[in-house]
Amino acid sequence: MKILPIKSVPFIIFLVGALSASATNLIKLTVTYFGKTDTIRVEKVEPVIFAPGVIPVNTNNNADATFSPDGRTVYLYQSLNHVSSIAESKLVNGKWTAPATTSFSGTYPDLEPAFSPNGKYLIFASSRPATPSGANIDGHFDGKVFPGSGGELWKVKLTKKGWGQPEMLPADINSNTSVFSPNVAADGTLYFMRSDSGKEFHLLRSEMKNGVYQTPTPFAFSIPGRGDYDPAIAPDQSFMIFSSGRAPAPVHTADLFIVFRTANGWTDPLDLRMLSPNVHGIEARLSPDHKTLYFSNTRNAVGVDVPGDRYIWRVDISGILKAHGMG
């Protein structure tokens, strides 16, 4: 596993200045690295909606766009008539096909698919029972009980004949029924969120060693009483994007944050709203080349917020990566 050197990925201690846009459309961010003040210049970019008129054709509730390694197939969560499932769309002659429910989904509430970087399997969250005769599992988070809407992580392999049968991940991962938002690194290490307190969610990381998931560990940047969720990890684990309502996110809003991995650990989270006021939301996913961020919020294609809907947006993050010595 490659860990970028400290000089290539600075450790952001705290922000000491505000964001400003120059006449050349560059955002200047004043930060302090190891006690030394510096300025990062990042080009201001606007997100665009993903596959307008195609992906939202069945429903206006879409999220979790995860791509095959060649970028020509996308799997996503769709909620139609209060039923959530995982759908598939293919890029044909430069256009995405209408999403169709996958062979392994559609019977139980499934969501948040994450493709492994090698394209051999998907991991997803589901409230499906452990046995076909059981009842959908309940969730315990946000201080409430959610009947039939819990979450455990499942794995389904892609074979020459298509998708196999989903298998539940081990108990170290599924230690309760409030486990969601998986994401997979190139070496199989699993990132996900779990509510161990029955209240807020926190992010966890489980290394893969000799084909076995290790005991999950939390992140030092977690804030007690404040939730973090929906991790999207770069294949080499050099950076991660996640959602949180932590400052400076506006009240009752989830912002998208990026953290970088250094020899000293993970940097402090940096709010991606710096790129545009419209870069915020949940369910982060990365393109196969990890230079484009996909996320969801309630803003539709004409810029109107529609409560209850979720639209998939994409934004170029290559500028912020280059500012930190990547790409």
Side-chain angles (χ1 to χ4, degrees):
M1 177 175 58
K2 179 182 178 183
I3 300 178
L4 296 181
I6 298 174
K7 65 179 181 180
S8 297
V9 184
F11 186 17
I12 302 170
I13 307 297
F14 56 87
L15 301 182
V16 297
L19 302 179
S20 62
S22 72
T24 58
N25 208 34
L26 288 179
I27 301 167
K28 295 191 295 184
L29 176 64
T30 303
V31 294
T32 295
Y33 302 152
F34 294 109
K36 179 182 178 182
T37 299
D38 202 351
T39 298
I40 293 177
R41 290 177 172 83
V42 182
E43 184 177 1
K44 183 179 178 63
V45 291
E46 283 294 329
V48 295
I49 203 161
F50 174 55
V54 178
I55 296 302
V57 70
N58 295 330
T59 172
N60 286 334
N61 201 329
N62 302 274
D64 313 310
T66 185
F67 294 85
S68 58
D70 63 6
R72 302 189 64 82
T73 305
V74 62
Y75 293 86
L76 63 149
Y77 155 88
Q78 291 196 323
S79 179
L80 180 62
N81 298 325
H82 305 290
V83 176
S84 61
S85 61
I86 295 172
E88 174 190 85
S89 175
K90 291 185 177 294
L91 188 62
V92 179
N93 297 325
K95 296 182 179 180
W96 292 99
T97 62
T101 303
T102 62
S103 60
F104 61 85
S105 190
T107 301
Y108 304 101
D110 301 324
L111 67 161
E112 299 175 330
F115 225 135
S116 63
N118 62 14
K120 293 183 178 180
Y121 61 90
L122 275 173
I123 294 181
F124 63 97
S126 180
S127 59
R128 61 178 62 201
T131 59
S133 60
N136 291 353
I137 61 175
D138 299 337
H140 302 266
F141 48 89
D142 293 339
K144 303 176 184 178
V145 177
F146 295 84
S149 296
E152 292 175 321
L153 300 188
W154 294 70
K155 178 179 180 179
V156 59
K157 296 179 181 178
L158 183 59
T159 71
K160 293 181 179 179
K161 296 181 179 180
W163 291 106
Q165 291 298 314
E167 300 176 354
M168 189 187 298
L169 294 192
D172 266 0
I173 306 297
N174 291 317
S175 62
N176 59 45
T177 57
S178 299
V179 191
F180 296 93
S181 296
N183 216 253
V184 187
D187 67 355
T189 294
L190 180 67
Y191 291 71
F192 62 101
M193 74 178 192
R194 192 171 68 196
S195 176
D196 290 335
S197 65
K199 297 179 181 178
E200 71 273 4
F201 285 96
H202 290 291
L203 305 183
L204 295 166
R205 176 179 181 269
S206 175
E207 285 191 82
M208 174 69 75
K209 292 184 178 180
N210 300 318
V212 177
Y213 289 113
Q214 305 300 297
T215 300
T217 56
F219 292 85
F221 55 74
S222 292
I223 300 174
R226 174 64 71 181
D228 298 323
Y229 33 93
D230 303 339
I233 187 68
D236 65 357
Q237 303 180 73
S238 58
F239 71 92
M240 178 174 65
I241 295 172
F242 67 95
S243 295
S244 179
R246 64 173 64 206
V251 177
H252 306 305
T253 300
D255 273 9
L256 293 154
F257 293 82
I258 188 168
V259 290
F260 297 92
R261 195 177 184 205
T262 77
N264 285 358
W266 296 91
T267 66
D268 286 353
L270 186 62
D271 196 334
L272 287 178
R273 195 182 283 262
M274 74 173 78
L275 301 177
S276 163
N278 296 317
V279 178
H280 63 87
I282 58 174
E283 306 292 2
R285 293 290 188 275
L286 295 171
S287 60
D289 66 0
H290 62 258
K291 294 180 180 180
T292 301
L293 169 66
Y294 291 79
F295 61 95
S296 294
N297 59 32
T298 59
R299 181 170 170 263
N300 66 14
V302 296
V304 176
D305 283 319
V306 185
D309 286 358
R310 278 195 286 180
Y311 301 88
I312 299 175
W313 292 82
R314 59 184 175 89
V315 67
D316 181 5
I317 59 169
S318 60
I320 190 68
L321 297 181
K322 289 179 181 178
H324 287 81
M326 302 179 185

